[in-house]
Structures are given as C-alpha cells and as structure tokens.
Amino acid sequence: NAGVTQTPKFQVLKTGQSMTLQCAQDMNHEYMSWYRQDPGMGLRLIHYSVGAGITDQGEVPNGYNVSRSTTEDFPLRLLSAAPSQTSVYFCASTLRGPGASYEQYFGPGTRLTVT
Amino acid sequence: AQSVTQLGSHVSVSEGALVLLRCNYSSSVPPYLFWYVQYPNQGLQLLLKYTSAATLVKGINGFEAEFKKSETSFHLTKPSAHMSDAAEYFCAVRARGSGNTPLVFGKGTRLSVIA
C-alpha cells in the first residue's frame, strides 16, 4: 500500500490564482480530512469527509472547497489564492467502524507559498 | 467541543535526560488520545494512542504516555532522550461515540536535545 499520497510537494502561486491540491489513499478509509499547519498554530482542520459524497467544514474552511466523488480521492481547491494561505497542507485518512480507534494516517504534505 | 492544551511550546533536554511533554484535554467523557511526532520537513507519524485499555500506553522509539482521568492528562515521557528524538510533538483528541467527529490537535511542543 502507498498509504496517503499528496501532490504536488511544493507549489508557488500568485495572489488570485487557483489550484487543486491532490490527495489519494489506497487503504479504503471512509474518513478523510485536510489540515493546514502554520508555525505556533499546530494543525487546523480545513474540511473533512466521512464518505464519498459527504463533506463538512472544519475550523478554517474559508477560501477552500472540497469534493469527494470516490473513496480514494479528496482534492482541496483554492479558489483565489491569498498570501494568508501560505502554509503546509496535510491530507489524512482514518479507518472508522466498530472497534477502530480512529487513528489518522497522514500524507507527506504540500508546501504552498502565495506571493 | 474537544480541545487539548500542550504546556510549553518548546522543551529542551540534555541527551540521556528524562523527556516529559505535557498534554491536558477537555472532555467530560474520556476520549481517544494520540501523540504524533513530526520530524523536520516530514508528515506526522503516530507515536502511541489511548483507546480505553491500559492507562499506561507504550509507543514506538521508547516513548510512553499515561492516561490520568482525574487530571485529564495524557503526558508523554521517555526515560532517556536521544539526539534523534529532536522533533515536534503533537497531542490530539477525538471524542468517543461518533465516528464523524474530527481529530483536534494541540499547538505542538518542539523538543530539542542537547549533546
């Protein structure tokens, strides 16, 4: 299993540009989520999904869109990039269900810079 | 809402000394608790988790944590620090009962190990 994969690893955008961060997992996990990591702020939840076709907002959803058309993929879209979105983005997936402890498996991250 | 507080954004210890990283959670019902480690420029890796079995949980790399309900704490310890332990450590919590609740992270504690 490849686990959780993210592309690209690095990205530089200009203010106002849009882009999609890709996330895929091959563990058949129902639950997927996106976090951003900023110095001194820990990880903050942007959006999450409990299954194909179901998404919900996290703590910091503004400026981001998600969709979940398949179990495997959970892309994060930046509609109009702003310098405040400069961050490291992590995708994670979780195995849910009776007896599962809901530990999350993280991708390697995407480092995004908006100029 | 679930939350965790990590006391100390930066902890510095000498090689061979005891490592103690503090985490307190807020919840009326004992939640699932996790410790993750992040090495520089990498994603997060699970160190250990508490799911309601033994209150003393052993993890990888010689780390362990003790769940204390009376103190709402889940502190991470290691008897003897090694240079390779230098990293950022995150405590995280998830409420029991509903698989839809997301993982909530603390702001992290950076561990430095001095030779």
Side-chain angles (χ1 to χ4, degrees):
Chain A
N1 285 353
V4 180
T5 58
Q6 291 183 239
T7 56
K9 285 186 168 41
F10 301 94
Q11 183 70 49
V12 179
L13 290 178
K14 294 187 187 302
T15 298
Q17 287 184 317
S18 63
M19 79 159 295
T20 300
L21 307 186
Q22 301 292 344
C23 175
Q25 52 93 7
D26 61 359
M27 298 174 283
N28 201 31
H29 287 172
E30 292 181 328
Y31 193 113
M32 297 184 73
S33 48
W34 276 102
Y35 293 87
R36 61 177 289 172
Q37 183 180 26
D38 303 290
M41 302 294 290
L43 277 81
R44 293 182 292 170
L45 184 66
I46 304 172
H47 286 285
Y48 64 100
S49 168
V50 300
I54 307 170
T55 63
D56 205 348
Q57 296 181 351
E59 180 184 356
V60 288
N62 292 342
Y64 307 95
N65 272 2
V66 292
S67 60
R68 185 94 179 272
S69 57
T70 67
T71 299
E72 295 77 19
D73 300 297
F74 190 43
L76 178 72
R77 282 183 289 278
L78 280 71
L79 308 174
S80 177
S84 61
Q85 293 179 304
T86 294
S87 187
V88 181
Y89 292 84
F90 289 100
C91 179
S93 73
T94 308
L95 177 63
R96 295 168 58 222
S101 59
Y102 305 106
E103 67 185 79
Q104 288 194 323
Y105 296 80
F106 284 84
T110 294
R111 188 174 296 273
L112 176 67
T113 301
V114 182
T115 61
Chain B
Q2 303 284 310
S3 68
V4 288
T5 302
Q6 293 184 239
L7 298 176
S9 59
H10 184 211
V11 170
S12 185
V13 301
S14 298
E15 192 174 19
L18 171 72
V19 175
L20 171 60
L21 304 182
R22 300 178 188 273
C23 173
N24 288 88
Y25 67 91
S26 67
S27 174
S28 57
V29 176
Y32 294 117
L33 290 158
F34 307 84
W35 275 100
Y36 284 85
V37 61
Q38 184 182 33
Y39 299 103
N41 299 314
Q42 294 188 26
L44 278 74
Q45 178 183 3
L46 181 69
L47 269 180
L48 49 81
K49 61 186 179 185
Y50 168 75
T51 60
S52 80
T55 56
L56 182 62
V57 181
K58 294 189 184 301
I60 61 172
N61 301 339
F63 283 93
E64 61 182 37
E66 185 172 9
F67 172 73
K68 291 188 176 180
K69 183 179 177 181
S70 61
E71 299 177 8
T72 61
S73 69
F74 190 57
H75 301 332
L76 182 70
T77 60
K78 182 174 180 177
S80 177
H82 191 272
M83 298 297 288
S84 61
D85 295 326
E88 187 142 22
Y89 292 80
F90 293 94
C91 183
V93 62
R94 185 194 297 276
R96 292 178 185 272
S98 170
N100 293 344
T101 55
L103 201 61
V104 176
F105 284 85
K107 295 190 185 304
T109 298
R110 182 169 301 279
L111 176 67
S112 297
V113 182
I114 304 167

